[in-house]
Amino acid sequence: MSLDILNDNSSVDLTTVRTAAPILKAGLYQGALTKCAIEPNKKATGSNMNIEVTLSSPAETVDGKTVSPGFKLFDTVSLVRTFKDDGTTVSYDPVNRLVELIEALTGEKSGSMTPRQMVELVQSCISRTVAFRTKVEQSAEYGDKTRIQRYVKLA
């Protein structure tokens, strides 16, 4: 039997072939924080914290397959505060996301820190276990993907 696909005369429905990264079912997962880099955002208006988390146990995908431990997920935390149209009401404050991440990584949120100190603390937690909730983000333009929705402190 030949394994050369050029000798295979059967036709393939291209619409059924998944070419994107596996999409995890929405749920609660754990993994190791494996990378945390601060980089300029695309609009050049500030910075993003680009995070890589590596799963520590198998996980099921939306199409019923299993991804192995070691599968990597990526998250981008904007470090730019944004405001509503009135220009004074904060619509997104990165401090909230940083504190959520710190609490998930360290188990506590005590004391007082500057945003820079918060970022440095997260960066010092490389290889620590972190729990996080995912959701499936659907996009007609870019395709579906797994999104880390929030970081969670485990009891």
Side-chain angles (χ1 to χ4, degrees):
M1 177 174 170
S2 173
L3 297 178
D4 187 336
I5 64 169
L6 296 177
N7 295 325
D8 185 348
N9 292 325
S10 60
S11 105
V12 176
D13 179 0
L14 300 182
T15 63
T16 65
V17 178
R18 180 174 283 289
T19 57
I23 302 168
L24 300 183
K25 285 186 172 181
L28 179 64
Y29 297 94
Q30 288 186 47
L33 178 69
T34 46
K35 287 187 184 173
C36 179
I38 306 304
E39 299 170 338
N41 63 21
K42 290 179 184 176
K43 294 181 181 178
T45 58
S47 301
N48 289 333
M49 176 187 291
N50 293 316
I51 295 172
E52 178 186 274
V53 178
T54 303
L55 285 181
S56 54
S57 58
E60 190 175 350
T61 65
V62 295
D63 54 1
K65 297 189 174 144
T66 300
V67 295
S68 300
F71 180 76
K72 296 180 184 315
L73 290 103
F74 303 93
D75 187 25
T76 298
V77 177
S78 172
L79 299 177
V80 178
R81 189 173 284 127
T82 57
F83 297 88
K84 293 186 177 178
D85 290 337
D86 65 12
T88 57
T89 306
V90 175
S91 61
Y92 169 75
D93 190 345
V95 167
N96 296 335
R97 191 77 192 267
L98 288 172
V99 171
E100 173 186 285
L101 183 53
I102 287 168
E103 185 176 24
L105 285 163
T106 67
E108 58 185 47
K109 59 175 186 178
S110 61
S112 177
M113 296 183 181
T114 67
R116 181 171 300 283
Q117 289 170 322
M118 288 183 228
V119 167
E120 289 169 354
L121 177 57
V122 171
Q123 290 177 315
S124 74
C125 290
I126 297 296
S127 79
R128 280 204 189 173
T129 298
V130 65
F132 51 93
R133 285 207 176 279
T134 64
K135 68 177 184 174
V136 176
E137 185 174 88
Q138 298 178 325
S139 167
E141 185 176 358
Y142 300 109
D144 299 351
K145 66 180 176 180
T146 303
R147 167 80 63 195
I148 294 177
Q149 186 174 20
R150 64 174 299 146
Y151 295 93
V152 180
K153 174 186 173 184
L154 293 178

